[in-house]
Amino acid sequence: MLREVAEYPNSFGPLGPRDERIDTGRYTLCIGPGKTWNTVQRQRFPLDEADEVITEVREALRERGRTQTQWEVGSSAPPGLVEALLERGLAHDKEPYAVALVLTHEPPPPAAGLTARRVETFDEYVAGNAVQWEAFETPEHEIAEHRELLSQRYRETVNVMHAVWLDGEIVCAGTAAPTEHGLLLYGGATAPSARGRGAYRALIRARWDDAVTHGTPALITQGGSMSRPILERLGFERVGEIHMLLDKFGEP
């Protein structure tokens, strides 16, 4: 079960008031705030239905004014699905590959001089998001869209954000979604100027302590090229893999 949750976290995490999740039995389409936040997960259809499914997904998103979606294809997907999607015009996403990772034992404590905890104010939430945008080199047009939604997201989110302070400044932040299986981790990032100081390790420990407090001692996430090495050093174990593809289909 933990492998499937790690491969397809958006299919299992709590829904916010503006989120939508469509589970057809053949696939799960997750739709979030902002027109570019869409992903297809938990693919359970035979390959000869790929064209039909792609058409269904595109039509569902066009009805909602959206013209692109990510596909996250995990180890449990039908063999050959990645190749079939590429043959039909989808492309590798900017971060095309990740591993599904799970931590079920206590990680190391934070280094001296760092404070890690949940964010408690809107200003802290804004600062945490800014760290994520900088670390992930988010394009300016996407930052502008995110910034317009920050106040609404802060009021309505079902997720939590943890942050790490160094010399009184937030230098690392990450979002987490509480579930019955553990905390689903998203977007953990450290400001470039603070890397190599143990901030990411402190962030993981704060999230672990939160999961233990809630009686679900597990951290579940996906590790890309930047985060995977440190996550594995901190004790996360590989349970699967995910290929990320992008479908930009525009208007009909």
Side-chain angles (χ1 to χ4, degrees):
M1 186 66 199
L2 285 180
R3 183 184 81 167
E4 189 172 15
V5 176
E7 289 183 346
Y8 304 121
N10 304 110
S11 295
F12 294 93
L15 290 174
R18 300 178 190 274
D19 297 333
E20 186 177 3
R21 186 158 58 214
I22 303 169
D23 189 349
T24 68
R26 296 190 296 167
Y27 60 89
T28 302
L29 174 59
C30 304
I31 303 170
K35 291 187 177 182
T36 61
W37 199 108
N38 314 292
T39 181
V40 182
Q41 302 184 341
R42 300 188 73 208
Q43 301 87 9
R44 292 153 283 169
F45 55 87
L47 292 185
D48 60 9
E49 296 181 10
D51 291 313
E52 179 183 339
V53 170
I54 290 171
T55 299
E56 280 183 18
V57 169
R58 289 174 175 176
E59 289 178 352
L61 291 172
R62 284 186 177 124
E63 289 173 359
R64 293 160 175 78
R66 303 182 180 215
T67 56
Q68 72 174 57
T69 185
Q70 188 186 58
W71 283 67
E72 297 183 46
V73 182
S75 305
S76 53
L81 180 58
V82 171
E83 292 75 16
L85 294 173
L86 291 172
E87 289 172 359
R88 287 160 173 78
L90 278 70
H92 292 290
D93 206 347
K94 180 173 65 174
E95 182 76 40
Y97 174 80
V99 295
L101 297 165
V102 174
L103 180 70
T104 56
H105 59 83
E106 182 178 342
L114 297 170
T115 300
R117 58 167 173 79
R118 282 194 187 194
V119 302
E120 297 174 350
T121 67
F122 179 63
D123 286 343
E124 291 177 351
Y125 183 72
V126 171
N129 276 272
V131 166
Q132 292 174 312
W133 297 336
E134 180 186 14
F136 291 122
E137 300 180 349
T138 306
E140 285 298 326
H141 70 278
E142 292 186 19
I143 291 176
E145 182 182 38
H146 294 325
R147 188 175 284 118
E148 288 183 3
L149 295 170
L150 276 183
S151 178
Q152 171 188 304
R153 288 179 177 173
Y154 180 71
R155 294 192 309 270
E156 299 179 351
T157 185
V158 293
N159 297 331
V160 296
M161 175 177 277
H162 297 86
V164 180
W165 283 256
L166 175 64
D167 297 330
E169 178 183 358
I170 291 179
V171 296
C172 183
T175 307
T179 76
E180 61 181 312
H181 309 287
L183 280 185
L184 296 175
L185 309 185
Y186 306 102
T190 303
S193 61
R195 289 174 184 165
R197 307 282 295 274
Y200 196 83
R201 186 178 79 181
L203 179 69
I204 293 298
R205 181 55 187 254
R207 291 157 141 185
W208 170 264
D209 291 343
D210 212 347
V212 170
T213 298
H214 285 82
T216 55
L219 301 181
I220 307 163
T221 192
Q222 295 178 358
S225 57
M226 290 179 63
S227 62
R228 184 170 67 248
I230 186 171
L231 287 169
E232 291 181 330
R233 288 197 299 272
L234 292 174
F236 281 78
E237 297 181 2
R238 296 189 185 207
V239 294
E241 62 178 17
I242 311 97
H243 294 269
M244 270 77 73
L245 305 178
L246 191 61
D247 185 18
K248 291 186 175 184
F249 45 87
E251 300 294 338

